[in-house]
């Protein structure tokens, strides 16, 4: 009888264990290595407490993670900003949506001639990228820091023709983004993408002004349209916009990556 009762209790325990195990959810998220995969590894234990196993799928480009998401080989991706998602979704006819802003890899304004943006003189020469995306991004940075006024600061494709006020009469010139760091000695202010700044030993700490949480270029969590309210997706969104993650980003990246929530 005792043997029977022992077997019965063990059977119940194993049955409950197997049921609990089958209730675990695996969430596959596509990401580029730095800082996206690093951030996902940080939040993985939070999800594990909710019975969600986070599987990070590494990508080294920006197109394949969106195709993989559309084709349902992953459940979400975290590696791009919304303007890029919008463009590729339109070009490739992908039904993908952004559900959270997580961080910004900021564009910044650098100078060898001044130490504070307040020292920028009237008629100063300012170099910005010449491609439509980053050119607009640079002008929005100037607008947000009250150096110019744009007709529509939400227009990501803004050009110099969209400037309605230029109180300092800044001379704004454009050049290929990758070449701009080489002009630092010759201009008063150069607006440089984060990756190109790092290549010449500059970081956000060296910038006189940098993008903040108003930037539309925040890196986002993207999912297929219709999956926004799935419990595991909602848990991932919560983890990626948590105070714990904000503190981690601030302490780990020292301004090279900025929280966007």
């Amino acid at each position: 009888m005792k043997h029977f009762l022992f077997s019965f209790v063990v059977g119940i325990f194993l049955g409950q264990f197997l049921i609990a195990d089958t209730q675990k959810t695996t969430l596959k998220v596509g990401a580029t290595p730095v800082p996206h995969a690093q951030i996902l590894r940080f939040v993985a234990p939070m999800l594990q407490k909710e019975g969600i196993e986070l599987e990070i799928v590494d990508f080294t480009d920006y197109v394949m993670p969106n195709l993989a998401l559309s084709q349902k080989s992953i459940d979400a991706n975290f590696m791009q900003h919304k303007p890029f998602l919008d463009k590729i979704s339109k070009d490739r006819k992908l039904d993908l949506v952004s559900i959270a802003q997580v961080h910004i890899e900021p564009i910044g304004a650098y100078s060898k001639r001044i130490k504070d943006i307040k020292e920028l003189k009237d008629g100063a020469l300012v170099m910005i990228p010449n491609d439509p995306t980053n050119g607009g991004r640079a002008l929005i940075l100037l607008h947000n820091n009250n150096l110019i006024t744009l007709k529509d600061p939400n227009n990501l494709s803004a050009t110099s023709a969209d400037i309605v006020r230029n109180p300092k009469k800044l001379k704004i010139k454009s050049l290929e983004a990758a070449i701009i760091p080489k002009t630092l000695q010759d201009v008063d202010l150069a607006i440089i993408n984060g990756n190109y700044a790092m290549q010449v030993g500059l970081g956000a700490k060296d910038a006189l002004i940098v993008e903040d949480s108003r930037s539309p270029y925040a890196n986002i969590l993207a999912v297929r349209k219709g999956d926004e309210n799935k419990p595991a997706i909602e848990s991932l969104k919560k983890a990626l916009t948590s105070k714990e993650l904000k503190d981690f980003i601030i302490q780990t990246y020292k301004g090279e990556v900025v929280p966007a929530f």
Side-chain angles (χ1 to χ4, degrees), residues 93-156:
K93 295 181 172 55
L94 307 178
D95 209 6
L96 308 179
V97 294
S98 165
I99 62 168
Q101 293 190 163
V102 181
H103 75 268
I104 299 163
E105 296 166 23
I107 196 170
Y110 300 83
S111 179
K112 294 288 188 182
R113 297 182 176 180
I114 59 174
K115 299 294 184 184
D116 191 297
I117 198 64
K118 294 175 183 177
E119 300 172 10
L120 194 63
K121 296 178 181 178
D122 289 357
L125 177 58
V126 180
M127 193 67 72
I128 69 172
N130 66 359
D131 60 283
T133 297
N134 289 305
R137 189 178 184 184
L139 292 172
I140 290 168
L141 176 65
L142 294 174
H143 172 95
N144 286 343
N145 285 275
N146 302 312
L147 293 169
I148 62 170
T149 301
L150 291 171
K151 186 189 307 179
D152 178 7
N154 295 312
N155 176 13
L156 305 185

Side-chain angles (χ1 to χ4, degrees), residues 192-220:
I192 306 174
N193 290 70
N195 57 319
Y196 294 127
M198 285 187 282
Q199 287 176 18
V200 294
L202 296 171
K205 67 183 184 302
D206 303 304
L208 303 185
I209 52 175
V210 293
E211 283 177 316
D212 57 23
S213 59
R214 290 173 290 176
S215 171
Y217 293 94
N219 281 229
I220 57 170

